[in-house]
Amino acid sequence: IDVSIMFKSQIDAAKLKAKAGRSNDKSIKRDIVVSELKDFSSRTQSDVMSILEAEESSGSVADINALWIVNAISCKASRDVIYKLASHPDVAVISYNREVQLLDNSKAREMDEAADDRGSAAPHVIQVNADDVWNQGYTGKNVIVAVLDSGTNTNHYDLKDHLWVGYADTDDDGEEDDIIHGWNYISNNSDITDDFGHGTHCAGIVCGDGTVGITVGVAPDATLMTLKIVNRAGGGSVDQMLSGVQFAVENGADVISMSLGFKNNQITDAKKKEIRDA
C-alpha cells in the first residue's frame, strides 16, 4: 500500500528563517535552509526509518523516500507494517498516497495566439505589465524557474534554448555524469517528455522566446527546470508533488510554478442546507 508518513515533530520555521537571515547571500541562505531541514528530518525520522529499512529486507516495505521538505516519509508498506507504525510515538499521520486528478483531463489548449506580430508580448504578459520592465533588464536572465506539471516538449523551438542543465547518475554506475533537464516523478527517471500538453503550455507562458511562435512569455530569458509530476491523464499524487518541490529547492530553483490543484470535496454549509431541503 502506497502511504505517506507524517511526523509529529516539525522544524521551528521562525528559528530557521532567523538563522538563514544572518547571510545576505541567496545561495548561502538556501544551503542553510536545506541543510537544517535535512538534519532535522534525519534526526526525527531515524527510529521509523530503521524500522522501515529492516522491513524492506523482508519484502514488507519498498520505495522508501525521505521527504525532508515536510518531514515525512513515503513508501509502499504492508498492512502489518502500517499498523505497527500507527502506534509509533513519533508518527502523527499515515495517509494513503493515492493518485488524484491534478489537471482537467482534456488536452491543454494551445498558447494564446492573439498577438499580432512574431515575438510580441501575449495579452497575459501585457496584463501583468511584464513587458514594462524588460527594457530595465528584468527578463528572467540567470533566474531558474521550476515548472511542476506534465513535462515539457524539449524540442520546442521557443523552449529548447532555455533548458536547465543538471547531472545525475541515471544508469546507476556510481557517477553523476548524465545530463538531465529535470526529473520525471511519474516514472522515476530523467525523461521529462510532455504527454499531456499542459506542462509545455505553462513553460511557454514562463519563458517562451518567440523563436517560431508569435508570442513571448513573461520572462523570455529565464532558465526552465522541468519536474514531471502529472501523468498523461492529468493525475498525480501528493508524494510526487512534494518530491518535485524538494528537487527544485535542492537544485537551485529561484521560482516554483505549479498551475494545478486538488479538488476540494468538502460540502459547504449552503450545499448541506440544499441537500436537507431537497
Side-chain angles (χ1 to χ4, degrees):
I1 303 170
D2 200 344
V3 295
S4 293
I5 304 163
M6 183 66 72
F7 288 79
K8 291 178 181 177
S9 298
Q10 293 295 317
I11 200 164
D12 188 318
K15 290 182 179 178
L16 178 61
K17 184 178 180 180
K19 188 168 186 177
R22 295 170 188 168
S23 173
N24 292 322
D25 186 290
K26 185 172 66 174
S27 63
I28 294 176
K29 284 185 176 183
R30 180 193 300 275
D31 290 343
I32 291 172
V33 170
V34 171
S35 177
E36 290 291 316
L37 288 172
K38 284 184 175 181
D39 289 345
F40 182 83
S41 293
S42 179
R43 292 195 309 271
T44 55
Q45 295 178 9
S46 60
D47 192 49
V48 170
M49 187 64 79
S50 296
I51 295 171
L52 291 173
E53 289 173 347
E55 295 288 354
E56 185 179 32
S57 62
S58 65
S60 297
V61 170
D63 301 338
I64 301 171
N65 180 26
L67 292 165
W68 46 263
I69 197 84
V70 291
N71 200 19
I73 298 174
S74 67
C75 65
K76 291 182 174 66
S78 68
R79 182 196 63 177
D80 291 342
V81 172
I82 292 171
Y83 274 110
K84 181 178 182 179
L85 292 177
S87 60
H88 194 284
D90 295 337
V91 173
V93 177
I94 300 178
S95 60
Y96 176 40
N97 190 37
R98 64 188 179 90
E99 180 183 310
V100 295
Q101 201 67 31
L102 295 173
L103 297 171
D104 179 5
N105 61 352
S106 59
K107 288 294 182 181
R109 292 176 297 174
E110 296 296 322
M111 287 185 66
D112 191 348
E113 296 184 355
D116 295 324
D117 302 314
R118 174 168 298 190
S120 62
H124 60 266
V125 173
I126 298 171
Q127 186 174 8
V128 298
N129 300 319
D131 55 322
D132 289 344
V133 299
W134 288 344
N135 290 333
Q136 299 175 34
Y138 299 104
T139 61
K141 187 175 182 180
N142 299 322
V143 175
I144 300 172
V145 180
V147 175
L148 280 67
D149 210 287
S150 60
T152 297
N153 175 4
T154 56
N155 293 317
H156 195 296
Y157 283 100
D158 281 14
L159 299 172
K160 67 178 186 177
D161 294 331
H162 298 268
L163 304 179
W164 172 80
V165 175
Y167 299 90
D169 179 16
T170 58
D171 51 11
D172 297 323
D173 63 357
E175 299 291 333
E176 290 192 349
D177 51 6
D178 301 300
I179 294 175
I180 60 173
H181 302 299
W183 198 256
N184 179 339
Y185 284 100
I186 301 299
S187 304
N188 196 31
N189 57 38
S190 60
D191 181 5
I192 57 170
T193 302
D194 187 1
D195 50 11
F196 185 81
H198 190 266
T200 301
H201 174 87
C202 291
I205 291 173
V206 172
C207 61
D209 60 18
T211 298
V212 296
I214 60 173
T215 56
V216 178
V218 173
D221 288 329
T223 298
L224 173 67
M225 177 190 289
T226 299
L227 286 313
K228 183 176 173 65
I229 63 167
V230 177
N231 61 30
R232 63 174 60 242
S237 69
V238 173
D239 170 55
Q240 289 161 343
M241 181 184 70
L242 290 173
S243 296
V245 171
Q246 186 165 283
F247 182 101
V249 171
E250 189 169 21
N251 288 278
D254 300 294
V255 179
I256 295 177
S257 173
M258 293 190 288
S259 180
L260 44 83
F262 300 93
K263 282 188 176 181
N264 185 350
N265 294 321
Q266 292 181 341
I267 302 177
T268 63
D269 290 339
K271 186 66 176 178
K272 289 178 183 177
K273 184 178 184 304
E274 180 184 331
I275 292 171
R276 286 197 303 269
D277 293 345

